[in-house]
Amino acid sequence: MSKQVKSYSKDEFLTLVKEKSGLTKADSARALNAIFDSLEDILSKGNKVSFVGYGSFSVGHRAAREGHNPQTGQKIKIKASNVVKFSPGKVLKEAVNKKK
């Protein structure tokens, strides 16, 4: 039997940040938006962001390739693109694998 996974909305996540930080929800939202904006600025320039123990965000390149439309089976060309990669750090890996 598999465990049901909960998906958190941004609003629910902000509530958790508010509770853990002691900030107001509005201050938590400003801080989170500033973090997202900063990540976007750094990654869009091809740079990397590392949070020791938590993980690293970087940009990878996906080459152009041929795929197919699953509904029709018709071959399609998929353009090259950049993708965001996340590599978890040791502390995060241990937290996710901790037995409760």
Side-chain angles (χ1 to χ4, degrees), residues 36-47:
F36 287 157
D37 290 345
S38 298
L39 275 171
E40 185 180 313
D41 290 345
I42 292 166
L43 294 172
S44 68
K45 294 174 184 165
N47 297 315

Side-chain angles (χ1 to χ4, degrees), residues 10-20 25 28:
K10 184 177 179 182
D11 190 60
E12 291 170 318
F13 184 76
L14 283 172
T15 299
L16 292 172
V17 171
K18 172 192 170 292
E19 291 169 359
K20 289 188 176 274
K25 195 163 183 181
S28 297

Side-chain angles (χ1 to χ4, degrees), residues 42-100:
I42 292 166
L43 294 172
S44 68
K45 294 174 184 165
N47 297 315
K48 182 177 179 178
V49 179
S50 296
F51 299 102
V52 176
Y54 180 76
S56 299
F57 293 90
S58 62
V59 178
H61 183 73
R62 184 173 287 157
R65 61 198 186 281
E66 191 174 272
H68 71 278
N69 180 326
Q71 292 179 337
T72 65
Q74 181 180 16
K75 289 184 180 181
I76 57 172
K77 291 182 181 179
I78 301 171
K79 295 179 184 178
S81 63
N82 291 325
V83 294
V84 175
K85 294 180 178 182
F86 177 75
S87 300
K90 182 180 178 184
V91 173
L92 183 59
K93 285 181 189 178
E94 288 174 355
V96 169
N97 288 300
K98 189 186 314 179
K99 297 198 183 213
K100 295 185 178 189

